[in-house]
Amino acid sequence: MLTINPIVSIIIPVYNAYATLPVCLQSLKKLDYPYLQLIFIDDCSTDGSAGLIQRFIDSWTDAISKEALLIALEHNQGVAAARNTGIDHATGEYIYYVDADDELDPKTIREAVEAAEHNQSDIVGFNWYLAFKTNKRRMTQPAFTSATDALEKMMSGSMRWNLWLFLVKRALYEDNQIRFTPGMNMGEDLLVMIMLFSSTNKVTHLDQYLYLYRQSNSESLTKTYSEAHIEQVMSNVTKAIDFLGKTPQKFNLKKYAAFLKLNIKLPLLISGTTSQYKRWKTWFPEANEYAGKNPSISWRTRMLERWAFNEKFWAIRLYYYLVIRLVYGVIYK
């Protein structure tokens, strides 16, 4: 049990989330850890989200709780800048993020804080649920025993880097001047989590399912990357690898950087469009020599990579319609 009660600053970026906010707000209200600072960043919503949040704050009258803030940005800046604003206003010992359309288990913050305090950890990671319209499934993060272990797993694709999977000490941000890159809103979580894990070895894996991430069926089956999306992801991936290159690493950075780049561009192959496959060839081309060589990913993914490398686009398209659309389309409803 905790002998002290550290404040946790929860940062919630919001942009036109009126339809999903009520569920998120209810899950925040149900948290059984009361020492919270809730920081809502409204990125110029036009759908009434700000009013909904303000009404929630007005009704959130727990005297133990420290505070709840609604910060309205003067113009739309994107999620990276919104999160930076949240960090700049955070006063808690720990920082955590919640997406405006997701839910937390009531014990999420308490369990994570207790694990951090007990193990004197700067980062605590845990498992999650992937929720669709009619069902949900458990998503298990691999256990990590050190920061190097976590970095290897993230870069090889066996471990997710989503911000909502980790409670982090605020001092880790401040002492290492870690922030998101304004305007680079795709892959921003990858950049920040790699920098955070590279800055400490005090880490803990908590084998509990504590976050519920909502995804629509259409999102689960295919993703289309625009050139703007690709540019932003490339910027964040390049910065992450450059950051790793400036600090001593205990793993083969060239190999794991290639695995990371292949993992990042994999969604281009979860598509029925030949132009996406051709774009795969030209995006991070320096990583292509490692296609099909990552033992941490499934044999199906390795197969897709080899097909793309050898330009067997007909096989990728066949796989997409038979496996992704037909099989997964039935399972993920």
Side-chain angles (χ1 to χ4, degrees), residues 175-202:
D175 294 348
N176 299 283
Q177 299 181 327
I178 294 174
R179 290 295 189 272
F180 300 88
T181 305
M184 297 295 106
N185 300 307
M186 301 294 179
E188 83 292 350
D189 46 355
L190 162 68
L191 171 61
V192 165
M193 287 314 307
I194 281 182
M195 290 194 294
L196 289 168
F197 271 105
S198 297
S199 302
T200 186
N201 198 40
K202 300 176 181 179

Side-chain angles (χ1 to χ4, degrees), residues 130-137 212-221 331-333:
L130 178 60
F132 296 92
K133 185 176 181 180
T134 59
N135 62 27
K136 66 179 181 180
R137 59 181 299 211
L212 190 145
Y213 172 74
R214 296 191 179 281
Q215 187 172 57
S216 72
N217 293 345
S218 59
E219 287 177 325
S220 69
L221 297 177
I331 294 174
Y332 296 152
K333 285 187 175 179

Side-chain angles (χ1 to χ4, degrees), residues 166-299:
F166 304 97
L167 180 81
V168 179
K169 273 199 173 177
R170 184 166 64 90
L172 208 57
Y173 286 89
E174 304 302 346
D175 294 348
N176 299 283
Q177 299 181 327
I178 294 174
R179 290 295 189 272
F180 300 88
T181 305
M184 297 295 106
N185 300 307
M186 301 294 179
E188 83 292 350
D189 46 355
L190 162 68
L191 171 61
V192 165
M193 287 314 307
I194 281 182
M195 290 194 294
L196 289 168
F197 271 105
S198 297
S199 302
T200 186
N201 198 40
K202 300 176 181 179
V203 299
T204 295
H205 171 70
L206 185 59
D207 190 19
Q208 294 195 44
Y209 299 84
L210 299 175
Y211 193 91
L212 190 145
Y213 172 74
R214 296 191 179 281
Q215 187 172 57
S216 72
N217 293 345
S218 59
E219 287 177 325
S220 69
L221 297 177
T222 185
K223 290 183 179 179
T224 301
Y225 279 3
S226 67
E227 286 303 315
H229 186 150
I230 289 175
E231 181 182 348
Q232 292 177 30
V233 173
M234 286 183 67
S235 175
N236 282 315
V237 170
T238 300
K239 287 181 180 179
I241 294 171
D242 287 347
F243 188 91
L244 289 170
K246 295 174 183 177
T247 57
Q249 298 300 331
K250 299 178 181 179
F251 56 86
N252 184 332
L253 181 56
K254 180 182 178 181
K255 180 178 72 172
Y256 279 95
F259 288 165
L260 173 62
K261 291 172 180 178
L262 289 168
N263 183 33
I264 286 292
K265 64 180 184 174
L266 176 64
L268 291 173
L269 304 181
I270 312 301
S271 162
T273 308
T274 301
S275 61
Q276 294 267 79
Y277 313 152
K278 291 180 178 179
R279 190 66 180 91
W280 182 95
K281 288 276 290 188
T282 60
W283 188 14
F284 294 132
E286 68 277 10
N288 292 349
E289 64 178 292
Y290 286 88
K293 298 179 182 179
N294 182 357
S296 298
I297 59 178
S298 70
W299 65 268

